[in-house]
């Protein structure tokens, strides 16, 4: 069980938001939560191993209403989004999504949203945990883009796991089986407006249901939950063990604010060859030429299973000199060993390099590995 606090009650004020699925999540057994985009994000039940098994063997339902949408609407919507993104969005079609790094002018990664083209003049940035509403408004204002930027009433609910496709087909119809990865359709089902997208923060396959009316949160949850009983559905949250085993990047967790997308191991989503300008382009080209001074790598940590620790701890050479920072640690059920992600100083980042990682019971030997782990 991950370290957590049990403290006072959270007040239902404007500073911490609750998603439309929050109450159902708690009723279904969620006991640990964090905060993401100023919204409570359910993390796990009181049995994280069972959460992992449901995700990897059956189907899991997650309240990811904290994945807020920044809506860019207007004649210049695509032009602005293309200027904000280090991945080329020029060809983004209606009904298609793309994972896109956003950088600042120095090439630092400031967010890594899923970008959905909802219609010709409407694009959603489904953001990670930093304020892109303010950023987008500043960029649009400075550049005189003809757009309106808002946070619409949209809350994603994730359905992930090997049985997710069968469950979603049972609820919404067989057409959902034909949806390709990162493609979506906007529908109204039993009076509930949703965007159904084949996506989600796991490599188990699944869907995200972007609810477009927060008054219908319990209705949508119940539809999936009731149909899911036959599939052994279980509540959970974005799962750090599964996503570390298969490597999906977590902004705000896996790297600090100075890292660029190459250092974060998501450089394959950066398009430097485009003709148009985008924020950070010049800096990223220079960084590409110079090469990184440190980068995110996997760590195989020796010894008995470690308690999950999603917080930065030490990383050293065997002789005790600084080698970088361990960003997150977990015990992998699949590989039956401890895994870590670390931002590691060159040249200690070479696969096979022996290092040591700080844990509660002292320093443990560890070996650097490429991402995704190939074990
Ligand atoms: N779904 C939605 N919004 C999100 C997330 C999500 N916003 C916050 C956070 N997660 C953003 N981070 C990621 C990281 C990885 C992926 C999606 C969001 C992802 N990557 C795929 C991969 O690496 O295989 C696909 C990338 C691609 O081919 O384009 O899915 O989970 N709505």
């Amino acid at each position: 069980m991950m370290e957590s606090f049990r403290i006072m009650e959270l007040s239902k004020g404007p500073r911490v938001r609750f998603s439309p699925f929050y109450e159902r999540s708690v009723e279904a057994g969620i006991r640990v939560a964090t905060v993401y985009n100023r919204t409570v994000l359910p993390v796990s039940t009181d049995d994280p191993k069972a959460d992992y098994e449901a995700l990897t063997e059956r189907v899991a339902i997650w309240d990811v209403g904290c994945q807020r949408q920044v809506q860019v609407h207007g004649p210049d919507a695509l032009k602005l989004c293309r200027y904000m993104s280090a991945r080329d969005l020029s060809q983004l079609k209606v009904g298609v999504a793309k994972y896109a790094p956003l950088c600042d002018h120095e090439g630092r990664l400031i967010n890594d949203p899923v970008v959905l083209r909802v219609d010709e003049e409407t694009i959603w940035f489904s953001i990670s945990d930093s304020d892109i509403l303010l950023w987008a408004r500043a960029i649009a204002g400075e550049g005189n883009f003809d757009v309106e930027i808002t946070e619409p009433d949209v809350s994603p609910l994730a359905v992930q796991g090997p049985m997710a496709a069968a469950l979603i087909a049972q609820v919404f119809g067989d057409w959902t089986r034909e949806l390709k990865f990162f493609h979506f359709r906007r529908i109204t089902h039993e009076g509930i407006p949703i965007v159904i997208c084949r996506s989600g923060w796991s490599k188990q396959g699944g869907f995200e249901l972007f609810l477009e009316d927060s008054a219908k949160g319990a209705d949508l949850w119940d539809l999936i939950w009731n149909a899911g009983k036959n599939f052994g559905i279980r509540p959970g949250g974005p799962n750090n063990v599964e996503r570390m085993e298969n490597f999906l990047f977590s902004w705000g967790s896996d790297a600090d604010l100075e890292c660029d997308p190459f250092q974060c191991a998501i450089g394959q989503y950066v398009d430097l060859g485009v003709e148009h300008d985008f924020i950070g382009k010049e800096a990223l080209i220079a960084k590409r030429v110079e090469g990184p001074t440190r980068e995110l790598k996997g760590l195989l940590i020796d010894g008995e299973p470690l308690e999950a620790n999603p917080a930065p701890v030490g990383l050293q050479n065997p002789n005790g000199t600084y080698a970088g920072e361990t960003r997150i640690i977990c015990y992998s059920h699949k590989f039956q060993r401890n895994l870590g992600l670390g931002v590691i100083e060159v040249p200690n980042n070479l696969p096979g390099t022996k290092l040591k990682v700080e844990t509660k019971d002292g320093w443990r030997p560890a070996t650097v590995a490429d991402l995704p782990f190939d074990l």
Side-chain angles (χ1 to χ4, degrees):
M1 186 91 183
M2 184 186 336
E3 207 179 324
S4 63
F5 293 105
R6 179 161 300 160
I7 45 175
M8 296 166 262
E9 295 191 3
L10 266 182
S11 108
K12 262 200 175 174
R15 309 211 179 277
V16 183
R17 303 180 283 187
F18 293 82
S19 104
F21 314 113
Y22 176 77
E23 280 174 24
R24 284 292 193 270
S25 293
V26 174
E27 283 163 24
I30 292 297
R31 292 293 173 268
V32 183
T34 185
V35 176
Y36 192 98
N37 285 324
R38 297 185 289 111
T39 310
V40 174
L41 165 59
V43 167
S44 69
T45 66
D46 54 14
D47 189 349
K49 177 116 189 289
D51 297 350
Y52 172 89
E53 283 165 1
L55 168 64
T56 54
E57 293 166 20
R58 304 189 308 278
V59 59
I61 180 171
W62 308 340
D63 168 7
V64 281
C66 65
Q67 292 169 4
R68 304 307 300 158
Q69 312 304 299
V70 173
Q71 174 171 297
V72 181
H73 175 73
D76 288 341
L78 188 63
K79 199 172 136 210
L80 174 63
C81 294
R82 199 173 78 154
Y83 181 56
M84 288 172 55
S85 168
R87 187 173 187 183
D88 186 11
L89 300 177
S90 307
Q91 306 303 319
L92 187 62
K93 296 198 166 46
V94 173
V96 182
K98 269 192 180 184
Y99 177 54
L102 309 186
C103 295
D104 68 12
H105 300 80
E106 273 67 50
R108 291 178 286 240
L109 183 71
I110 59 165
N111 204 288
D112 63 334
V114 174
V115 184
L116 299 88
R117 182 138 195 210
V118 179
D119 62 41
E120 282 304 320
E121 295 201 346
T122 309
I123 292 171
W124 289 349
F125 284 131
S126 183
I127 59 170
S128 48
D129 191 18
S130 67
D131 198 332
I132 295 306
L133 185 74
L134 293 181
W135 174 256
R137 283 179 173 171
I139 303 299
E142 288 290 309
N144 287 313
F145 288 85
D146 186 2
V147 292
E148 198 184 7
I149 299 165
T150 54
E151 186 190 76
D153 179 9
V154 175
S155 307
L157 179 65
V159 183
Q160 300 286 301
M163 295 182 185
L167 168 57
I168 291 295
Q170 188 180 310
V171 176
F172 298 104
D174 276 331
W175 65 268
T176 57
R177 293 183 189 274
E178 311 303 324
L179 263 188
K180 292 196 210 112
F181 185 58
F182 268 50
H183 285 234
F184 63 86
R185 208 196 268 186
R186 197 176 202 176
I187 63 158
T188 299
H189 181 87
E190 296 183 9
I192 310 172
I194 26 178
V195 164
I196 301 191
C197 186
R198 186 169 282 228
S199 56
W201 207 58
S202 84
K203 287 282 188 177
Q204 303 305 308
F207 293 79
E208 290 178 298
L209 313 173
F210 294 72
L211 174 66
E212 292 194 69
D213 177 358
S214 50
K216 306 257 165 75
D219 295 345
L220 179 58
W221 178 284
D222 291 345
L223 263 182
I224 306 297
W225 185 257
N226 292 331
K229 284 177 188 161
N230 284 336
F231 296 90
I233 197 168
R234 190 180 163 89
N239 193 290
N240 268 328
V241 177
E242 193 276 345
R243 73 94 185 176
M244 285 176 69
E245 288 172 346
N246 299 303
F247 188 56
L248 287 168
F249 180 69
S250 181
W251 191 91
S253 155
D254 300 350
D256 59 49
L257 293 169
E258 301 304 315
C259 290
D260 65 50
F262 306 115
Q263 294 177 298
C264 294
I266 57 168
Q268 70 267 40
Y269 303 112
V270 174
D271 295 317
L272 292 181
V274 294
E275 299 221 325
H276 66 267
D277 193 20
F278 63 84
I279 301 174
K281 184 180 183 183
E282 221 177 295
L284 289 169
I285 290 172
K287 283 173 190 287
R288 197 76 288 211
V289 174
E290 288 160 19
T293 55
R294 51 193 195 120
E295 64 174 354
L296 183 64
K297 284 283 178 180
L299 291 163
L300 305 172
I301 307 166
D302 290 1
E304 292 301 302
L306 288 164
E307 195 173 294
N309 185 10
V313 294
L315 182 63
Q316 294 184 348
N317 289 292
N319 66 8
T321 57
Y322 181 81
E325 203 173 40
T326 309
R327 300 292 307 191
I328 180 167
I329 287 170
C330 77
Y331 176 73
S332 160
H333 309 296
K334 182 171 156 196
F335 302 129
Q336 309 217 328
R337 61 195 301 174
N338 299 302
L339 304 179
L341 297 176
V343 177
I344 308 180
E345 301 282 318
V346 172
N348 307 295
N349 58 330
L350 288 174
T353 305
K354 302 289 178 197
L355 299 175
K356 55 184 187 177
V357 166
E358 188 180 14
T359 73
K360 279 218 181 99
D361 43 14
W363 292 81
R364 294 250 192 127
T367 309
V368 178
D370 279 325
L371 293 171
F373 293 101
D374 181 19
L375 302 173

